[in-house]
Coordinates of all heavy atoms in Angstrom, one line a residue:
N11 N -35.2 33.5 9.7 CA -33.9 32.9 10.0 C -33.1 32.5 8.7 O -31.9 32.7 8.6 CB -34.2 31.6 10.8 CG -34.1 31.8 12.3 OD1 -33.1 32.2 12.8 ND2 -35.2 31.6 12.9
E12 N -33.9 32.1 7.7 CA -33.2 31.8 6.4 C -32.6 33.1 5.8 O -31.5 33.1 5.2 CB -34.2 31.2 5.4 CG -34.4 29.8 5.6 CD -35.7 29.2 5.0 OE1 -36.3 30.0 4.1 OE2 -36.2 28.1 5.4
Q13 N -33.3 34.2 6.1 CA -32.7 35.5 5.5 C -31.5 35.9 6.3 O -30.6 36.6 5.7 CB -33.8 36.6 5.6 CG -33.4 37.8 4.8 CD -33.1 37.5 3.3 OE1 -33.7 36.6 2.7 NE2 -32.2 38.3 2.7
I14 N -31.4 35.6 7.6 CA -30.2 35.9 8.3 C -29.0 35.2 7.6 O -28.0 35.8 7.4 CB -30.3 35.4 9.8 CG1 -31.3 36.3 10.6 CG2 -28.9 35.4 10.5 CD1 -31.4 35.8 12.1
N15 N -29.3 33.9 7.3 CA -28.2 33.2 6.6 C -27.9 33.8 5.2 O -26.7 33.9 4.9 CB -28.7 31.7 6.4 CG -27.6 30.8 5.9 OD1 -27.3 30.7 4.7 ND2 -26.9 30.2 6.8
E16 N -28.9 34.3 4.5 CA -28.6 35.0 3.2 C -27.8 36.2 3.4 O -26.9 36.5 2.6 CB -29.9 35.4 2.5 CG -30.7 34.2 2.0 CD -30.4 33.8 0.6 OE1 -29.7 34.5 -0.1 OE2 -31.0 32.8 0.1
E17 N -28.1 37.0 4.5 CA -27.3 38.2 4.7 C -25.9 37.9 5.1 O -25.0 38.6 4.7 CB -28.0 39.1 5.8 CG -29.4 39.5 5.4 CD -29.5 40.5 4.2 OE1 -28.5 41.1 3.9 OE2 -30.6 40.6 3.6
L18 N -25.7 36.9 5.9 CA -24.4 36.5 6.3 C -23.6 36.0 5.1 O -22.4 36.2 5.0 CB -24.4 35.4 7.5 CG -24.9 36.0 8.8 CD1 -25.0 34.9 9.8 CD2 -24.0 37.1 9.4
Y19 N -24.3 35.2 4.3 CA -23.6 34.8 3.0 C -23.2 36.0 2.2 O -22.1 36.1 1.6 CB -24.5 33.8 2.2 CG -23.9 33.6 0.9 CD1 -22.8 32.7 0.7 CD2 -24.4 34.2 -0.3 CE1 -22.1 32.5 -0.5 CE2 -23.7 34.0 -1.5 CZ -22.6 33.2 -1.6 OH -22.0 33.0 -2.8
S20 N -24.1 37.0 2.1 CA -23.8 38.2 1.3 C -22.5 38.9 1.9 O -21.6 39.3 1.1 CB -24.9 39.3 1.4 OG -26.2 38.7 1.0
S21 N -22.5 38.9 3.2 CA -21.3 39.5 3.9 C -20.0 38.7 3.5 O -19.0 39.3 3.2 CB -21.5 39.5 5.4 OG -20.4 40.1 6.0
Y22 N -20.2 37.4 3.5 CA -19.0 36.5 3.2 C -18.6 36.7 1.8 O -17.4 36.7 1.5 CB -19.6 35.1 3.5 CG -18.6 34.2 4.2 CD1 -17.6 34.6 5.1 CD2 -18.6 32.8 3.9 CE1 -16.8 33.7 5.7 CE2 -17.7 31.9 4.5 CZ -16.8 32.4 5.4 OH -16.0 31.5 6.0
L23 N -19.6 36.8 0.9 CA -19.3 36.9 -0.5 C -18.5 38.2 -0.8 O -17.5 38.2 -1.5 CB -20.6 36.9 -1.3 CG -20.5 37.3 -2.8 CD1 -19.8 36.2 -3.6 CD2 -21.9 37.4 -3.4
Y24 N -19.0 39.3 -0.2 CA -18.3 40.6 -0.4 C -16.9 40.6 0.3 O -16.0 41.3 -0.3 CB -19.2 41.8 0.0 CG -20.5 41.9 -0.8 CD1 -21.7 42.1 -0.3 CD2 -20.4 41.7 -2.2 CE1 -22.8 42.2 -1.0 CE2 -21.5 41.7 -3.0 CZ -22.8 42.0 -2.4 OH -23.9 42.1 -3.2
L25 N -16.8 39.9 1.4 CA -15.5 39.8 2.0 C -14.5 39.0 1.1 O -13.3 39.4 0.9 CB -15.6 39.1 3.4 CG -14.5 39.4 4.4 CD1 -14.3 40.9 4.6 CD2 -14.8 38.7 5.7
A26 N -15.1 38.0 0.4 CA -14.3 37.2 -0.5 C -13.9 38.1 -1.7 O -12.7 38.0 -2.2 CB -15.1 36.0 -1.0
M27 N -14.8 38.9 -2.2 CA -14.5 39.9 -3.3 C -13.4 40.9 -2.8 O -12.5 41.2 -3.6 CB -15.7 40.6 -3.7 CG -16.7 39.7 -4.5 SD -18.1 40.6 -5.1 CE -18.9 39.2 -6.1
S28 N -13.5 41.3 -1.6 CA -12.5 42.2 -1.0 C -11.1 41.6 -1.1 O -10.2 42.2 -1.5 CB -12.9 42.6 0.4 OG -11.9 43.5 1.0
A29 N -11.1 40.3 -0.6 CA -9.8 39.6 -0.6 C -9.3 39.5 -2.1 O -8.1 39.6 -2.3 CB -10.0 38.2 0.0
W30 N -10.2 39.2 -3.0 CA -9.7 39.1 -4.4 C -9.2 40.4 -5.0 O -8.2 40.5 -5.6 CB -10.9 38.6 -5.3 CG -10.5 38.4 -6.7 CD1 -9.7 37.4 -7.3 CD2 -10.7 39.3 -7.8 NE1 -9.5 37.6 -8.6 CE2 -10.1 38.8 -8.9 CE3 -11.5 40.5 -7.9 CZ2 -10.2 39.4 -10.2 CZ3 -11.5 41.1 -9.1 CH2 -10.9 40.6 -10.3
F31 N -9.9 41.5 -4.6 CA -9.4 42.8 -5.1 C -8.1 43.1 -4.5 O -7.2 43.7 -5.2 CB -10.5 43.9 -4.8 CG -11.6 44.0 -5.8 CD1 -12.9 43.8 -5.4 CD2 -11.3 44.4 -7.1 CE1 -13.9 43.9 -6.4 CE2 -12.3 44.5 -8.0 CZ -13.6 44.2 -7.7
E32 N -7.8 42.7 -3.2 CA -6.5 42.9 -2.6 C -5.5 42.2 -3.5 O -4.4 42.7 -3.8 CB -6.5 42.4 -1.2 CG -7.2 43.2 -0.2 CD -6.4 44.5 0.2 OE1 -5.3 44.7 -0.2 OE2 -7.0 45.3 1.0
S33 N -5.8 41.0 -3.9 CA -4.9 40.1 -4.7 C -4.6 40.8 -6.1 O -3.6 40.5 -6.7 CB -5.4 38.7 -4.8 OG -6.4 38.7 -5.8
Q34 N -5.5 41.6 -6.5 CA -5.4 42.3 -7.8 C -4.7 43.7 -7.7 O -4.7 44.4 -8.7 CB -6.7 42.4 -8.5 CG -7.5 41.1 -8.7 CD -6.8 40.2 -9.6 OE1 -6.5 40.5 -10.7 NE2 -6.4 39.0 -9.1
N35 N -4.3 44.0 -6.5 CA -3.7 45.3 -6.2 C -4.6 46.5 -6.5 O -4.2 47.5 -7.1 CB -2.3 45.5 -7.0 CG -1.3 44.5 -6.5 OD1 -1.0 44.5 -5.3 ND2 -0.8 43.7 -7.3
L36 N -5.8 46.3 -6.1 CA -6.8 47.3 -6.2 C -7.4 47.6 -4.8 O -8.5 47.2 -4.5 CB -8.0 46.9 -7.2 CG -7.5 46.8 -8.7 CD1 -8.5 46.1 -9.5 CD2 -7.2 48.2 -9.3
P37 N -6.6 48.3 -4.0 CA -7.0 48.5 -2.6 C -8.3 49.3 -2.4 O -9.0 49.1 -1.4 CB -5.8 49.2 -2.0 CG -5.1 49.9 -3.1 CD -5.3 49.0 -4.3
G38 N -8.6 50.2 -3.3 CA -9.8 51.0 -3.2 C -11.1 50.1 -3.3 O -12.0 50.2 -2.5
F39 N -11.1 49.2 -4.4 CA -12.2 48.3 -4.5 C -12.3 47.4 -3.3 O -13.4 47.0 -2.9 CB -12.0 47.5 -5.8 CG -12.4 48.2 -7.1 CD1 -11.4 48.9 -7.8 CD2 -13.7 48.3 -7.5 CE1 -11.7 49.6 -9.0 CE2 -14.0 49.0 -8.7 CZ -13.0 49.6 -9.4
A40 N -11.1 46.9 -2.9 CA -11.1 46.0 -1.7 C -11.7 46.7 -0.5 O -12.5 46.1 0.2 CB -9.6 45.6 -1.4
A41 N -11.4 48.0 -0.3 CA -11.9 48.7 0.9 C -13.4 48.9 0.7 O -14.2 48.7 1.7 CB -11.3 50.1 1.0
W42 N -13.9 49.2 -0.5 CA -15.3 49.3 -0.8 C -16.1 48.0 -0.4 O -17.1 48.1 0.2 CB -15.5 49.7 -2.2 CG -16.9 50.2 -2.6 CD1 -17.3 51.5 -2.7 CD2 -18.1 49.3 -2.9 NE1 -18.7 51.5 -3.1 CE2 -19.1 50.2 -3.2 CE3 -18.3 48.0 -3.0 CZ2 -20.4 49.7 -3.5 CZ3 -19.6 47.5 -3.3 CH2 -20.6 48.4 -3.6
M43 N -15.5 46.9 -0.8 CA -16.2 45.6 -0.6 C -16.2 45.3 0.9 O -17.1 44.6 1.4 CB -15.4 44.5 -1.4 CG -15.9 44.4 -2.8 SD -17.7 44.0 -2.9 CE -17.9 44.0 -4.7
K44 N -15.1 45.7 1.6 CA -15.1 45.5 3.0 C -16.2 46.2 3.8 O -16.8 45.7 4.7 CB -13.7 45.8 3.6 CG -13.3 45.0 4.8 CD -11.8 45.0 5.1 CE -11.4 46.3 5.6 NZ -10.0 46.4 5.9

Side-chain angles (χ1 to χ4, degrees):
N11 268 298
E12 281 162 13
Q13 193 58 33
I14 290 179
N15 190 273
E16 290 269 355
E17 298 294 341
L18 289 176
Y19 171 74
S20 303
S21 180
Y22 220 33
L23 173 66
Y24 294 139
L25 203 56
M27 287 181 176
S28 178
W30 180 77
F31 277 116
E32 287 284 356
S33 78
Q34 302 298 301
N35 294 306
L36 291 167
F39 282 95
W42 192 97
M43 279 296 178
K44 209 160 71 180

